[in-house]
Amino acid sequence: MKVLIVHAHNEPGSFNAALKDQAVAQMRAAGHEVEVSDLYAMNWNPVASAADFGSRANPDYLVYALEQRHNYEAGTLAADIVAEIDKVRRCDLLILNFPMYWFSVPAILKGWIDRVLISGVFYGGRRIYDRGGMQGKRAMAVVTLGGREHMFGADAIHGDIGTMLRPLLQGSLAYCGFEVLPPFVGYHVPYIGDEARREVLAQHAAHLRAVDTLTPLSMPAMADFDDQLRPLQG
Ligand SMILES: Cc1cc2nc3c(=O)[nH]c(=O)nc-3n(C[C@H](O)[C@H](O)[C@H](O)COP(=O)(O)OP(=O)(O)OC[C@H]3O[C@@H](n4cnc5c(N)ncnc54)[C@H](O)[C@@H]3O)c2cc1C
């Protein structure tokens, strides 16, 4: 299996980076090919702008998604974006490894999503969810948090973590056709001791070992919706 890890932490010695390093070592030891996009190390540009396009379908008015499609087909999309698209297209499993920022992903990873998951290749029209461009591939989030585990859940103060991560898990990954595996979540990691962090590393290793047996999250099936994406009755 080919694995792409997109890693978004600004400190190479962070616990989050240790999870990434463990995934690389474990996946390679299991015989998988692993590529890593270390976004801060790459000085990844997260800003979706007209500078991404070497030609323009419409020079007078920027419609970013339409120009993504046009420039990819014309071979004039920014080289840093094309390189990432090629990595995603090569992989069977995409792992997004990041610390939670404001109930979401760090800006550098949001910018990777905005610029890389382009219209035409990853989604378009009714080519979404189980008809999206990444059908047959799987994706998983590996997230570290400051919050404690009891703060997350249906009746907990911050609500359910799956709901919190829905923009990523459903709105980006499932929307593009990935089968989305349950995320791995490391709670409270800056505030627990070394021994507890070693336990989190062990749980992460077990989560990765189980990758072929994890039940994917339930996502919309296009067959349940009509041409206007209204739910079909019955
Ligand atoms: C802008 C911003 C927004 C945030 N929003 C949220 C939010 O909405 N919700 C939330 O819960 N949290 C939030 N946080 C907190 C953030 O998610 C956590 O601080 C982060 O995920 C902790 O992971 P880390 O890798 O950065 O920890 P680190 O601080 O890098 O690591 C913790 C400790 O682990 C040690 N360590 C490193 N490697 C290992 C190893 N191999 N074994 C054992 N120990 C090791 C490090 O030396 C360090 O002492 C936010 C933080 C910021 C900056």
Side-chain angles (χ1 to χ4, degrees), residues 9 13-16 18 99-103 144-147 189-190 197:
H9 200 291
S14 66
F15 185 75
N16 192 271
M100 177 173 282
Y101 275 12
W102 295 114
F103 286 25
T144 53
L145 268 69
V189 298
R197 275 193 290 270

Side-chain angles (χ1 to χ4, degrees), residues 26-229:
Q26 187 173 326
M27 290 290 184
R28 284 190 180 145
H32 304 302
E33 278 178 47
V34 183
E35 282 193 284
V36 178
S37 287
D38 183 341
L39 298 184
Y40 286 95
M42 292 158 65
N43 200 22
W44 172 258
N45 166 24
V47 181
S49 78
D52 292 338
F53 308 125
S55 67
R56 287 287 287 272
N58 182 350
D60 301 323
Y61 189 96
L62 177 63
V63 178
Y64 191 80
L66 295 182
E67 296 295 348
Q68 285 180 312
R69 184 187 286 246
H70 162 75
N71 276 262
Y72 187 71
E73 285 165 3
T76 51
L77 189 60
D80 61 341
I81 300 175
V82 174
E84 294 304 299
I85 291 171
D86 290 346
K87 289 182 200 171
V88 181
R89 294 187 91 167
R90 275 198 294 274
C91 82
D92 304 299
L93 172 65
L94 171 66
I95 296 178
L96 302 180
N97 196 89
F98 60 94
M100 177 173 282
Y101 275 12
W102 295 114
F103 286 25
S104 185
V105 297
I108 200 166
L109 178 55
K110 181 58 166 56
W112 184 90
I113 292 166
D114 292 346
R115 295 180 71 225
V116 173
L117 304 186
I118 67 168
S119 171
V121 174
F122 290 84
Y123 70 95
R126 289 177 56 81
R127 285 181 61 243
I128 57 175
Y129 292 122
D130 52 346
R131 296 185 191 158
M134 297 298 108
Q135 280 169 67
K137 299 181 191 291
R138 295 177 296 170
M140 178 197 288
V142 172
V143 194
T144 53
L145 268 69
R148 293 173 188 267
E149 189 164 3
H150 69 250
M151 298 173 183
F152 300 87
D155 299 322
I157 187 162
H158 299 317
D160 178 63
I161 192 128
T163 308
M164 190 175 285
L165 293 173
R166 186 164 169 259
L168 173 68
L169 303 180
Q170 177 172 345
S172 302
L173 297 173
Y175 189 85
C176 291
F178 287 100
E179 212 171 47
V180 183
L181 300 177
F184 176 80
V185 183
Y187 292 98
H188 210 42
V189 298
Y191 313 108
I192 56 179
D194 274 348
E195 197 175 322
R197 275 193 290 270
R198 275 194 291 276
E199 176 56 27
V200 176
L201 281 163
Q203 291 164 1
H204 171 255
H207 197 81
L208 294 184
R209 274 196 302 276
V211 78
D212 289 330
T213 55
L214 293 171
T215 306
L217 303 178
S218 178
M219 294 292 169
M222 290 299 284
D224 295 337
F225 298 85
D226 71 12
D227 286 351
Q228 301 298 312
L229 301 183

